[in-house]
Amino acid sequence: MKKYGLAVVSVLISAGALTACGDNATGEEIEQLLTDSNEAMGNLNSYAVETAMHSDDFENNAILQLTRDPVALTNEHRQPDAVSGETDVNREFIEDGIYYYEEPSIGEWIKFDAEEAGITGAESLRPAEAQLDMLKQYSGQLELNDKGDDYILSASGTEDEELQELALEMAGGQQAKEMGLEVTDFDIEIVIDKSSLLQKEATMTLGFQMPNQQENEEEADMQTQSLTTTYSQFNEVEDIHVPEDVVNEAIDIEEAQERMEQQQAELEQEAQPNEDSEE
């Protein structure tokens, strides 16, 4: 079962209070900027997040829109099919405490309680803030530059342990560590608007390889991924509603699991005659 993983009132501390932040900002000043930006994002009732991920053999684009009152979300993923070349589109919605998503393996919409997907209220819809929460732990490794109308936060390289730890967190956290992922290249940049303290854009490049492929460095499967995230439609997202046909056609998770099991049994049965003939 798929789990949704993943969610402006003027800020109490004005942008003018951050004029001390510049190219020589301390870790404490950077942490304060992250805190203030998170407060600004948290005060929004709605915003949109557009992401574009690319790697050597993978591409995925997504557009997410959320509102916090009422709690609702729509997310659309677009990914080219490596065989057909066509673009696969998958959508998901949250409305009235129900989570809906497309399951291509059975060609059905599935619904279940949004709490099972980790959405327990408005505080659960904070994708931009979650990223800054994590970065606050590494404020000492970040650099701050003052450029025109924006603050630019950045970090680059893997030469020290703290930067490696930050890179692993951005690569997937505990899951990346359990996989034994070794980060070989890392670069991240966060753009924050000076006047509103809202996030505008985040870009990241990540190079990595697996440890069991390092015996012969020339044959090691090294990959590079790039991710660009853009934030927009601040307090401008229209009311989100699940399409009527999705509401009417969606089946519950228990029925979906039964269909998946039935489909698997049919596939195994179809494969049985071929196995017998080979014997």
Side-chain angles (χ1 to χ4, degrees):
M1 179 178 70
K2 178 179 177 180
K3 288 287 186 181
Y4 178 80
L6 333 69
V8 177
V9 178
S10 60
V11 188
L12 294 178
I13 301 177
S14 68
L18 293 168
T19 53
C21 289
D23 294 348
N24 296 316
T26 66
E28 290 183 357
E29 290 172 328
I30 291 175
E31 183 177 355
Q32 185 62 56
L33 174 58
L34 292 170
T35 298
D36 295 341
S37 181
N38 251 6
E39 184 177 355
M41 295 299 293
N43 283 332
L44 292 169
N45 184 59
S46 69
Y47 61 85
V49 186
E50 185 169 355
T51 58
M53 178 181 289
H54 302 273
S55 70
D56 301 331
D57 54 5
F58 177 82
E59 180 179 342
N60 183 282
N61 297 283
I63 299 177
L64 179 150
Q65 293 178 309
L66 64 87
T67 64
R68 289 168 169 148
D69 185 18
V71 174
L73 174 148
T74 175
N75 197 14
E76 179 177 286
H77 297 268
R78 292 180 172 270
Q79 181 176 333
D81 186 279
V83 178
S84 68
E86 297 180 356
T87 299
D88 293 330
V89 180
N90 294 97
R91 295 176 296 162
E92 55 192 346
F93 299 93
I94 292 176
E95 186 184 15
D96 295 333
I98 304 297
Y99 174 50
Y100 302 82
Y101 78 94
E102 291 180 287
E103 179 50 66
S105 66
I106 58 174
E108 297 285 358
W109 279 95
I110 298 175
K111 63 180 178 180
F112 56 91
D113 195 304
E115 289 191 5
E116 295 184 38
I119 306 301
T120 57
E123 68 281 357
S124 303
L125 296 183
R126 51 192 312 274
E129 299 93 306
Q131 177 174 251
L132 292 195
D133 280 344
M134 190 274 294
L135 284 174
K136 284 170 63 176
Q137 304 174 46
Y138 300 92
S139 57
Q141 311 324 119
L142 299 175
E143 295 183 1
L144 175 63
N145 289 304
D146 186 329
K147 292 189 177 180
D149 296 331
D150 301 319
Y151 292 117
I152 310 295
L153 288 165
S154 62
S156 181
T158 58
E159 62 272 12
D160 64 52
E161 190 172 322
E162 287 291 328
L163 278 172
Q164 291 178 18
E165 185 74 17
L166 171 58
L168 281 171
E169 286 295 333
M170 298 303 293
Q174 187 60 36
Q175 183 178 13
K177 296 175 184 178
E178 291 174 355
M179 291 171 61
L181 205 70
E182 179 180 346
V183 177
T184 58
D185 185 32
F186 175 65
D187 186 90
I188 187 170
E189 182 177 281
I190 310 290
V191 181
I192 297 175
D193 182 83
K194 280 185 183 178
S195 60
S196 65
L197 298 183
L198 296 174
Q199 289 189 65
K200 296 170 64 175
E201 185 179 75
T203 58
M204 182 177 70
T205 300
L206 186 71
F208 60 89
Q209 65 182 18
M210 301 297 290
N212 60 357
Q213 296 172 322
Q214 294 175 7
E215 292 182 4
N216 186 333
E217 188 175 347
E218 294 182 355
E219 296 181 2
D221 184 18
M222 300 179 65
Q223 293 197 25
T224 300
Q225 291 185 352
S226 63
L227 175 68
T228 299
T229 306
T230 305
Y231 304 97
S232 62
Q233 295 182 257
F234 302 124
N235 279 345
E236 295 179 353
V237 176
E238 297 181 357
D239 291 343
I240 295 171
H241 297 292
V242 181
E244 188 175 346
D245 60 326
V246 173
V247 175
N248 294 335
E249 296 172 8
I251 60 177
D252 60 37
I253 191 64
E254 290 77 17
E255 182 178 351
Q257 289 175 332
E258 290 177 3
R259 293 196 186 186
M260 291 178 188
E261 292 172 359
Q262 181 180 1
Q263 185 181 69
Q264 181 63 32
E266 291 173 353
L267 290 173
E268 292 175 355
Q269 187 174 9
E270 290 175 1
Q272 190 64 41
N274 294 330
E275 294 176 359
D276 293 342
S277 61
E278 290 177 1
E279 293 177 0

